[in-house]
Short mmCIF file of all heavy atoms in Angstrom, two decimals:
data_model
loop_
_atom_site.label_atom_id
_atom_site.label_comp_id
_atom_site.label_asym_id
_atom_site.label_seq_id
_atom_site.Cartn_x
_atom_site.Cartn_y
_atom_site.Cartn_z
N MET A 34 42.81 -21.27 8.98
CA MET A 34 41.47 -21.21 9.56
C MET A 34 40.45 -21.54 8.47
O MET A 34 40.55 -21.08 7.34
CB MET A 34 41.24 -19.80 10.10
CG MET A 34 39.86 -19.61 10.67
SD MET A 34 39.63 -17.99 11.38
CE MET A 34 40.08 -18.35 13.05
N GLN A 35 39.48 -22.35 8.83
CA GLN A 35 38.49 -22.80 7.85
C GLN A 35 37.47 -21.70 7.56
O GLN A 35 36.96 -21.06 8.47
CB GLN A 35 37.78 -24.05 8.38
CG GLN A 35 36.78 -24.62 7.40
CD GLN A 35 36.11 -25.88 7.95
OE1 GLN A 35 36.39 -26.28 9.07
NE2 GLN A 35 35.25 -26.47 7.16
N GLN A 36 37.22 -21.52 6.27
CA GLN A 36 36.22 -20.54 5.85
C GLN A 36 34.86 -21.23 5.76
O GLN A 36 34.76 -22.45 5.71
CB GLN A 36 36.60 -19.96 4.48
CG GLN A 36 37.90 -19.19 4.48
CD GLN A 36 37.82 -17.93 5.31
OE1 GLN A 36 36.84 -17.21 5.27
NE2 GLN A 36 38.85 -17.67 6.11
N GLY A 37 33.79 -20.40 5.69
CA GLY A 37 32.44 -20.96 5.55
C GLY A 37 32.27 -21.63 4.20
O GLY A 37 32.93 -21.28 3.22
N HIS A 38 31.40 -22.58 4.16
CA HIS A 38 31.13 -23.29 2.91
C HIS A 38 30.46 -22.33 1.93
O HIS A 38 29.55 -21.58 2.31
CB HIS A 38 30.22 -24.49 3.20
CG HIS A 38 30.15 -25.45 2.05
ND1 HIS A 38 29.30 -25.27 1.00
CD2 HIS A 38 30.82 -26.60 1.80
CE1 HIS A 38 29.46 -26.25 0.13
NE2 HIS A 38 30.37 -27.09 0.60
N PRO A 39 30.88 -22.34 0.64
CA PRO A 39 30.30 -21.42 -0.34
C PRO A 39 28.77 -21.55 -0.45
O PRO A 39 28.08 -20.57 -0.64
CB PRO A 39 30.97 -21.82 -1.65
CG PRO A 39 32.23 -22.50 -1.26
CD PRO A 39 31.96 -23.12 0.07
N ARG A 40 28.28 -22.78 -0.34
CA ARG A 40 26.83 -22.98 -0.43
C ARG A 40 26.13 -22.28 0.73
O ARG A 40 25.05 -21.70 0.55
CB ARG A 40 26.53 -24.48 -0.42
CG ARG A 40 25.08 -24.83 -0.57
CD ARG A 40 24.59 -24.52 -1.98
NE ARG A 40 23.19 -24.89 -2.10
CZ ARG A 40 22.35 -24.30 -2.91
NH1 ARG A 40 22.75 -23.32 -3.68
NH2 ARG A 40 21.10 -24.68 -2.97
N HIS A 41 26.72 -22.32 1.90
CA HIS A 41 26.13 -21.65 3.05
C HIS A 41 26.09 -20.14 2.82
O HIS A 41 25.10 -19.47 3.14
CB HIS A 41 26.94 -21.98 4.32
CG HIS A 41 26.46 -21.24 5.52
ND1 HIS A 41 25.27 -21.53 6.14
CD2 HIS A 41 27.00 -20.20 6.21
CE1 HIS A 41 25.10 -20.71 7.16
NE2 HIS A 41 26.13 -19.90 7.23
N LYS A 42 27.16 -19.59 2.26
CA LYS A 42 27.18 -18.16 1.97
C LYS A 42 26.10 -17.80 0.96
O LYS A 42 25.40 -16.79 1.10
CB LYS A 42 28.55 -17.76 1.42
CG LYS A 42 29.67 -17.79 2.44
CD LYS A 42 30.98 -17.36 1.81
CE LYS A 42 32.11 -17.43 2.82
NZ LYS A 42 33.40 -17.04 2.21
N GLN A 43 25.95 -18.66 -0.05
CA GLN A 43 24.94 -18.40 -1.08
C GLN A 43 23.53 -18.42 -0.46
O GLN A 43 22.70 -17.56 -0.76
CB GLN A 43 25.05 -19.46 -2.18
CG GLN A 43 24.07 -19.26 -3.32
CD GLN A 43 24.17 -20.38 -4.35
OE1 GLN A 43 24.87 -21.37 -4.13
NE2 GLN A 43 23.46 -20.23 -5.44
N LEU A 44 23.27 -19.40 0.39
CA LEU A 44 21.96 -19.50 1.02
C LEU A 44 21.70 -18.32 1.94
O LEU A 44 20.59 -17.78 1.99
CB LEU A 44 21.84 -20.81 1.79
CG LEU A 44 21.77 -22.07 0.93
CD1 LEU A 44 21.82 -23.31 1.81
CD2 LEU A 44 20.52 -22.07 0.08
N SER A 45 22.73 -17.89 2.66
CA SER A 45 22.57 -16.74 3.54
C SER A 45 22.25 -15.48 2.74
O SER A 45 21.38 -14.68 3.12
CB SER A 45 23.83 -16.51 4.37
OG SER A 45 24.04 -17.58 5.25
N ARG A 46 22.93 -15.29 1.63
CA ARG A 46 22.70 -14.13 0.78
C ARG A 46 21.29 -14.17 0.19
O ARG A 46 20.57 -13.17 0.17
CB ARG A 46 23.73 -14.09 -0.34
CG ARG A 46 23.72 -12.80 -1.14
CD ARG A 46 24.84 -12.76 -2.17
NE ARG A 46 26.16 -12.97 -1.59
CZ ARG A 46 26.97 -13.98 -1.90
NH1 ARG A 46 26.61 -14.88 -2.79
NH2 ARG A 46 28.16 -14.10 -1.34
N ALA A 47 20.87 -15.35 -0.27
CA ALA A 47 19.53 -15.50 -0.85
C ALA A 47 18.46 -15.23 0.20
O ALA A 47 17.44 -14.59 -0.09
CB ALA A 47 19.36 -16.90 -1.43
N LYS A 48 18.70 -15.70 1.41
CA LYS A 48 17.75 -15.48 2.50
C LYS A 48 17.62 -13.98 2.79
O LYS A 48 16.52 -13.46 2.97
CB LYS A 48 18.23 -16.23 3.74
CG LYS A 48 17.30 -16.22 4.90
CD LYS A 48 17.86 -17.08 6.02
CE LYS A 48 17.04 -17.00 7.27
NZ LYS A 48 17.62 -17.75 8.37
N HIS A 49 18.73 -13.29 2.81
CA HIS A 49 18.73 -11.85 3.05
C HIS A 49 18.01 -11.11 1.91
O HIS A 49 17.23 -10.19 2.15
CB HIS A 49 20.16 -11.33 3.20
CG HIS A 49 20.24 -9.87 3.41
ND1 HIS A 49 19.78 -9.25 4.57
CD2 HIS A 49 20.69 -8.87 2.62
CE1 HIS A 49 19.97 -7.95 4.47
NE2 HIS A 49 20.52 -7.69 3.29
N GLU A 50 18.26 -11.52 0.67
CA GLU A 50 17.60 -10.89 -0.48
C GLU A 50 16.09 -11.13 -0.44
O GLU A 50 15.32 -10.23 -0.78
CB GLU A 50 18.20 -11.40 -1.79
CG GLU A 50 19.60 -10.85 -2.04
CD GLU A 50 20.24 -11.42 -3.31
OE1 GLU A 50 19.57 -12.19 -4.02
OE2 GLU A 50 21.40 -11.08 -3.56
N MET A 51 15.66 -12.30 0.00
CA MET A 51 14.23 -12.56 0.13
C MET A 51 13.62 -11.67 1.21
O MET A 51 12.51 -11.18 1.07
CB MET A 51 13.96 -14.03 0.46
CG MET A 51 13.77 -14.93 -0.73
SD MET A 51 12.71 -14.30 -2.05
CE MET A 51 11.11 -14.36 -1.33
N TYR A 52 14.36 -11.47 2.30
CA TYR A 52 13.90 -10.58 3.36
C TYR A 52 13.68 -9.18 2.82
O TYR A 52 12.65 -8.56 3.06
CB TYR A 52 14.90 -10.57 4.52
CG TYR A 52 14.68 -9.45 5.50
CD1 TYR A 52 13.66 -9.53 6.43
CD2 TYR A 52 15.46 -8.30 5.47
CE1 TYR A 52 13.43 -8.50 7.33
CE2 TYR A 52 15.24 -7.27 6.36
CZ TYR A 52 14.23 -7.37 7.28
OH TYR A 52 14.00 -6.34 8.17
N LEU A 53 14.64 -8.68 2.05
CA LEU A 53 14.52 -7.34 1.48
C LEU A 53 13.35 -7.28 0.49
O LEU A 53 12.58 -6.32 0.47
CB LEU A 53 15.82 -6.94 0.77
CG LEU A 53 17.04 -6.74 1.67
CD1 LEU A 53 18.27 -6.42 0.83
CD2 LEU A 53 16.80 -5.66 2.70
N HIS A 54 13.20 -8.32 -0.33
CA HIS A 54 12.12 -8.36 -1.31
C HIS A 54 10.76 -8.36 -0.61
O HIS A 54 9.84 -7.62 -0.99
CB HIS A 54 12.26 -9.61 -2.19
CG HIS A 54 11.09 -9.87 -3.07
ND1 HIS A 54 10.83 -9.12 -4.20
CD2 HIS A 54 10.08 -10.76 -2.98
CE1 HIS A 54 9.71 -9.56 -4.76
NE2 HIS A 54 9.25 -10.56 -4.04
N ASN A 55 10.62 -9.20 0.42
CA ASN A 55 9.35 -9.28 1.14
C ASN A 55 9.02 -7.96 1.82
O ASN A 55 7.86 -7.55 1.87
CB ASN A 55 9.38 -10.42 2.16
CG ASN A 55 9.32 -11.77 1.49
OD1 ASN A 55 8.86 -11.89 0.37
ND2 ASN A 55 9.80 -12.80 2.18
N ARG A 56 10.04 -7.29 2.34
CA ARG A 56 9.83 -5.99 2.98
C ARG A 56 9.34 -4.97 1.95
O ARG A 56 8.43 -4.19 2.22
CB ARG A 56 11.12 -5.52 3.64
CG ARG A 56 10.94 -4.34 4.56
CD ARG A 56 12.17 -4.06 5.37
NE ARG A 56 13.23 -3.55 4.51
CZ ARG A 56 14.39 -3.10 4.94
NH1 ARG A 56 14.66 -3.13 6.24
NH2 ARG A 56 15.30 -2.65 4.11
N LEU A 57 9.92 -5.00 0.76
CA LEU A 57 9.51 -4.10 -0.31
C LEU A 57 8.08 -4.38 -0.75
O LEU A 57 7.26 -3.47 -0.90
CB LEU A 57 10.46 -4.23 -1.51
CG LEU A 57 10.06 -3.45 -2.76
CD1 LEU A 57 10.17 -1.95 -2.50
CD2 LEU A 57 10.93 -3.85 -3.93
N VAL A 58 7.75 -5.65 -0.96
CA VAL A 58 6.40 -6.02 -1.39
C VAL A 58 5.38 -5.61 -0.32
O VAL A 58 4.31 -5.08 -0.65
CB VAL A 58 6.33 -7.54 -1.68
CG1 VAL A 58 4.90 -7.99 -1.88
CG2 VAL A 58 7.16 -7.87 -2.90
N PHE A 59 5.70 -5.81 0.94
CA PHE A 59 4.81 -5.42 2.03
C PHE A 59 4.59 -3.91 2.01
O PHE A 59 3.45 -3.43 2.14
CB PHE A 59 5.40 -5.86 3.38
CG PHE A 59 4.56 -5.46 4.56
CD1 PHE A 59 3.36 -6.11 4.82
CD2 PHE A 59 4.97 -4.44 5.40
CE1 PHE A 59 2.60 -5.75 5.91
CE2 PHE A 59 4.21 -4.07 6.48
CZ PHE A 59 3.01 -4.73 6.74
N ALA A 60 5.66 -3.15 1.84
CA ALA A 60 5.55 -1.69 1.80
C ALA A 60 4.69 -1.24 0.62
O ALA A 60 3.88 -0.31 0.74
CB ALA A 60 6.93 -1.06 1.72
N LEU A 61 4.84 -1.90 -0.53
CA LEU A 61 4.02 -1.55 -1.69
C LEU A 61 2.54 -1.85 -1.44
O LEU A 61 1.67 -1.09 -1.84
CB LEU A 61 4.51 -2.30 -2.93
CG LEU A 61 5.86 -1.84 -3.49
CD1 LEU A 61 6.31 -2.77 -4.62
CD2 LEU A 61 5.79 -0.41 -3.98
N LYS A 62 2.26 -2.97 -0.78
CA LYS A 62 0.87 -3.32 -0.47
C LYS A 62 0.27 -2.30 0.50
O LYS A 62 -0.89 -1.89 0.33
CB LYS A 62 0.78 -4.73 0.13
CG LYS A 62 0.97 -5.82 -0.89
CD LYS A 62 0.83 -7.19 -0.26
CE LYS A 62 1.03 -8.29 -1.29
NZ LYS A 62 0.93 -9.63 -0.70
N ILE A 63 1.03 -1.90 1.50
CA ILE A 63 0.55 -0.90 2.45
C ILE A 63 0.28 0.42 1.73
O ILE A 63 -0.75 1.07 1.92
CB ILE A 63 1.56 -0.69 3.60
CG1 ILE A 63 1.67 -1.96 4.44
CG2 ILE A 63 1.20 0.50 4.46
CD1 ILE A 63 0.42 -2.32 5.19
N SER A 64 1.21 0.82 0.87
CA SER A 64 1.06 2.06 0.11
C SER A 64 -0.17 2.01 -0.78
O SER A 64 -0.95 2.99 -0.83
CB SER A 64 2.31 2.30 -0.73
OG SER A 64 2.17 3.43 -1.54
N THR A 65 -0.39 0.91 -1.46
CA THR A 65 -1.56 0.76 -2.32
C THR A 65 -2.84 0.80 -1.49
O THR A 65 -3.82 1.45 -1.89
CB THR A 65 -1.49 -0.57 -3.09
OG1 THR A 65 -0.28 -0.58 -3.85
CG2 THR A 65 -2.67 -0.75 -4.02
N GLY A 66 -2.83 0.15 -0.35
CA GLY A 66 -4.00 0.16 0.53
C GLY A 66 -4.34 1.55 1.03
O GLY A 66 -5.51 1.95 1.03
N ILE A 67 -3.33 2.30 1.45
CA ILE A 67 -3.55 3.66 1.91
C ILE A 67 -4.08 4.53 0.78
O ILE A 67 -5.01 5.32 0.95
CB ILE A 67 -2.26 4.25 2.52
CG1 ILE A 67 -1.93 3.55 3.84
CG2 ILE A 67 -2.39 5.75 2.73
CD1 ILE A 67 -0.59 3.91 4.42
N ASN A 68 -3.50 4.37 -0.41
CA ASN A 68 -3.94 5.14 -1.58
C ASN A 68 -5.41 4.83 -1.90
O ASN A 68 -6.19 5.75 -2.16
CB ASN A 68 -3.06 4.82 -2.78
CG ASN A 68 -3.31 5.73 -3.94
OD1 ASN A 68 -3.83 6.82 -3.78
ND2 ASN A 68 -2.96 5.28 -5.13
N ASN A 69 -5.78 3.56 -1.87
CA ASN A 69 -7.17 3.18 -2.14
C ASN A 69 -8.11 3.76 -1.08
O ASN A 69 -9.21 4.21 -1.39
CB ASN A 69 -7.32 1.67 -2.20
CG ASN A 69 -6.66 1.07 -3.42
OD1 ASN A 69 -6.39 1.76 -4.39
ND2 ASN A 69 -6.40 -0.22 -3.38
N PHE A 70 -7.68 3.74 0.17
CA PHE A 70 -8.50 4.27 1.26
C PHE A 70 -8.73 5.78 1.08
O PHE A 70 -9.85 6.26 1.18
CB PHE A 70 -7.83 4.00 2.61
CG PHE A 70 -8.54 4.63 3.77
CD1 PHE A 70 -9.72 4.07 4.25
CD2 PHE A 70 -8.05 5.78 4.37
CE1 PHE A 70 -10.38 4.65 5.31
CE2 PHE A 70 -8.71 6.36 5.43
CZ PHE A 70 -9.89 5.79 5.91
N VAL A 71 -7.65 6.50 0.79
CA VAL A 71 -7.76 7.95 0.60
C VAL A 71 -8.64 8.27 -0.60
O VAL A 71 -9.47 9.18 -0.55
CB VAL A 71 -6.36 8.58 0.46
CG1 VAL A 71 -6.45 10.03 0.03
CG2 VAL A 71 -5.60 8.47 1.78
N SER A 72 -8.50 7.50 -1.68
CA SER A 72 -9.35 7.70 -2.86
C SER A 72 -10.81 7.44 -2.51
O SER A 72 -11.70 8.18 -2.95
CB SER A 72 -8.92 6.78 -3.99
OG SER A 72 -7.61 7.08 -4.40
N GLY A 73 -11.06 6.41 -1.74
CA GLY A 73 -12.43 6.10 -1.33
C GLY A 73 -13.04 7.20 -0.48
O GLY A 73 -14.19 7.58 -0.67
N VAL A 74 -12.26 7.73 0.46
CA VAL A 74 -12.74 8.83 1.30
C VAL A 74 -13.03 10.05 0.43
O VAL A 74 -14.05 10.73 0.61
CB VAL A 74 -11.72 9.17 2.41
CG1 VAL A 74 -12.07 10.45 3.12
CG2 VAL A 74 -11.63 8.02 3.41
N GLY A 75 -12.16 10.32 -0.53
CA GLY A 75 -12.38 11.45 -1.44
C GLY A 75 -13.66 11.28 -2.24
O GLY A 75 -14.43 12.24 -2.40
N ASP A 76 -13.92 10.07 -2.71
CA ASP A 76 -15.16 9.80 -3.46
C ASP A 76 -16.39 10.02 -2.58
O ASP A 76 -17.40 10.57 -3.03
CB ASP A 76 -15.15 8.37 -4.01
CG ASP A 76 -14.13 8.18 -5.12
OD1 ASP A 76 -13.65 9.19 -5.67
OD2 ASP A 76 -13.82 7.01 -5.43
N VAL A 77 -16.31 9.58 -1.34
CA VAL A 77 -17.43 9.77 -0.41
C VAL A 77 -17.69 11.26 -0.19
O VAL A 77 -18.83 11.71 -0.22
CB VAL A 77 -17.16 9.05 0.94
CG1 VAL A 77 -18.14 9.49 2.00
CG2 VAL A 77 -17.20 7.55 0.75
N ILE A 78 -16.63 12.03 0.00
CA ILE A 78 -16.79 13.47 0.21
C ILE A 78 -17.42 14.12 -1.01
O ILE A 78 -18.33 14.96 -0.87
CB ILE A 78 -15.43 14.11 0.56
CG1 ILE A 78 -14.97 13.64 1.94
CG2 ILE A 78 -15.50 15.62 0.50
CD1 ILE A 78 -13.56 14.03 2.29
N VAL A 79 -16.98 13.74 -2.19
CA VAL A 79 -17.55 14.30 -3.42
C VAL A 79 -19.03 13.95 -3.52
O VAL A 79 -19.86 14.82 -3.82
CB VAL A 79 -16.77 13.79 -4.66
CG1 VAL A 79 -17.53 14.10 -5.93
CG2 VAL A 79 -15.38 14.41 -4.70
N ASN A 80 -19.37 12.71 -3.25
CA ASN A 80 -20.77 12.28 -3.35
C ASN A 80 -21.65 12.97 -2.32
O ASN A 80 -22.79 13.35 -2.62
CB ASN A 80 -20.89 10.76 -3.22
CG ASN A 80 -20.33 10.05 -4.44
OD1 ASN A 80 -20.30 10.61 -5.53
ND2 ASN A 80 -19.87 8.83 -4.25
N VAL A 81 -21.15 13.16 -1.11
CA VAL A 81 -21.91 13.87 -0.09
C VAL A 81 -22.10 15.33 -0.50
O VAL A 81 -23.19 15.89 -0.35
CB VAL A 81 -21.21 13.77 1.29
CG1 VAL A 81 -21.81 14.73 2.30
CG2 VAL A 81 -21.28 12.34 1.81
N GLY A 82 -21.06 15.93 -1.03
CA GLY A 82 -21.17 17.31 -1.51
C GLY A 82 -22.21 17.44 -2.62
O GLY A 82 -23.01 18.39 -2.63
N LYS A 83 -22.22 16.49 -3.54
CA LYS A 83 -23.21 16.52 -4.63
C LYS A 83 -24.62 16.35 -4.07
O LYS A 83 -25.56 17.02 -4.52
CB LYS A 83 -22.91 15.41 -5.65
CG LYS A 83 -21.72 15.70 -6.53
CD LYS A 83 -21.49 14.58 -7.52
CE LYS A 83 -20.28 14.85 -8.39
NZ LYS A 83 -20.02 13.75 -9.33
N ALA A 84 -24.78 15.47 -3.09
CA ALA A 84 -26.10 15.24 -2.50
C ALA A 84 -26.59 16.50 -1.78
O ALA A 84 -27.76 16.88 -1.90
CB ALA A 84 -26.05 14.06 -1.53
N ILE A 85 -25.69 17.16 -1.06
CA ILE A 85 -26.07 18.39 -0.36
C ILE A 85 -26.45 19.47 -1.38
O ILE A 85 -27.46 20.17 -1.21
CB ILE A 85 -24.93 18.86 0.56
CG1 ILE A 85 -24.77 17.90 1.74
CG2 ILE A 85 -25.17 20.28 1.06
CD1 ILE A 85 -23.55 18.14 2.59
N THR A 86 -25.66 19.60 -2.43
CA THR A 86 -25.96 20.59 -3.47
C THR A 86 -27.32 20.30 -4.10
O THR A 86 -28.12 21.22 -4.34
CB THR A 86 -24.87 20.58 -4.55
OG1 THR A 86 -23.61 20.82 -3.93
CG2 THR A 86 -25.12 21.63 -5.60
N LYS A 87 -27.59 19.03 -4.37
CA LYS A 87 -28.86 18.66 -4.98
C LYS A 87 -30.02 18.98 -4.04
O LYS A 87 -31.06 19.52 -4.48
CB LYS A 87 -28.84 17.16 -5.30
CG LYS A 87 -29.97 16.67 -6.13
CD LYS A 87 -29.76 15.21 -6.51
CE LYS A 87 -30.87 14.73 -7.43
NZ LYS A 87 -30.66 13.32 -7.79
N LEU A 88 -29.86 18.70 -2.75
CA LEU A 88 -30.90 19.02 -1.78
C LEU A 88 -31.13 20.53 -1.69
O LEU A 88 -32.28 20.99 -1.64
CB LEU A 88 -30.55 18.46 -0.39
CG LEU A 88 -30.73 16.97 -0.19
CD1 LEU A 88 -30.17 16.55 1.17
CD2 LEU A 88 -32.20 16.61 -0.28
N LEU A 89 -30.05 21.30 -1.64
CA LEU A 89 -30.20 22.74 -1.54
C LEU A 89 -30.85 23.31 -2.80
O LEU A 89 -31.65 24.24 -2.72
CB LEU A 89 -28.83 23.40 -1.32
CG LEU A 89 -28.20 23.13 0.05
CD1 LEU A 89 -26.80 23.74 0.11
CD2 LEU A 89 -29.07 23.68 1.17
N THR A 90 -30.53 22.75 -3.94
CA THR A 90 -31.14 23.20 -5.19
C THR A 90 -32.63 22.91 -5.18
O THR A 90 -33.44 23.77 -5.57
CB THR A 90 -30.47 22.49 -6.39
OG1 THR A 90 -29.08 22.70 -6.34
CG2 THR A 90 -31.03 23.01 -7.71
N VAL A 91 -33.03 21.75 -4.71
CA VAL A 91 -34.45 21.39 -4.65
C VAL A 91 -35.17 22.31 -3.68
O VAL A 91 -36.26 22.80 -3.97
CB VAL A 91 -34.61 19.90 -4.25
CG1 VAL A 91 -36.05 19.58 -3.91
CG2 VAL A 91 -34.10 19.00 -5.35
N VAL A 92 -34.55 22.57 -2.51
CA VAL A 92 -35.19 23.41 -1.50
C VAL A 92 -35.35 24.83 -2.01
O VAL A 92 -36.41 25.44 -1.88
CB VAL A 92 -34.36 23.38 -0.17
CG1 VAL A 92 -34.85 24.45 0.79
CG2 VAL A 92 -34.45 22.01 0.45
N THR A 93 -34.33 25.41 -2.61
CA THR A 93 -34.41 26.79 -3.08
C THR A 93 -35.35 26.91 -4.28
O THR A 93 -36.05 27.89 -4.42
CB THR A 93 -33.02 27.34 -3.47
OG1 THR A 93 -32.40 26.45 -4.38
CG2 THR A 93 -32.14 27.48 -2.24
N ASP A 94 -35.38 25.89 -5.16
CA ASP A 94 -36.31 25.92 -6.30
C ASP A 94 -37.75 25.80 -5.82
O ASP A 94 -38.64 26.41 -6.40
CB ASP A 94 -35.98 24.80 -7.29
CG ASP A 94 -34.72 25.07 -8.08
OD1 ASP A 94 -34.25 26.23 -8.06
OD2 ASP A 94 -34.20 24.13 -8.71
N GLY A 95 -37.97 25.06 -4.77
CA GLY A 95 -39.32 24.90 -4.24
C GLY A 95 -39.87 26.18 -3.66
O GLY A 95 -41.06 26.47 -3.76
N LYS A 96 -39.01 27.01 -3.06
CA LYS A 96 -39.46 28.26 -2.46
C LYS A 96 -39.63 29.36 -3.52
O LYS A 96 -40.43 30.25 -3.33
CB LYS A 96 -38.44 28.75 -1.42
CG LYS A 96 -38.40 27.94 -0.16
CD LYS A 96 -37.41 28.51 0.83
CE LYS A 96 -37.38 27.74 2.11
NZ LYS A 96 -36.40 28.27 3.05
N GLY A 97 -38.82 29.28 -4.57
CA GLY A 97 -38.73 30.36 -5.52
C GLY A 97 -39.95 30.58 -6.32
O GLY A 97 -40.43 31.56 -6.66
#
C-alpha cells in the first residue's frame, strides 16, 4: 500500500504548527487587551476618587 509523500506530511505538520502558533498569538493579544482595559478602568477609578476627595476637601475647608 502506498504511503503519503514525505513532503505532504511535512507540509501538513507545518500547517498544524502554524495553526497552533496563531492560536497562541491570538490568545496573548486578547490577554494583553483585557489587561490594558482593566488597568485603564483602574486608573479611571483612582482619578475619580482623587477628584471626589479634592472636592470634599475644598467644600469642608470652605465651611470651616
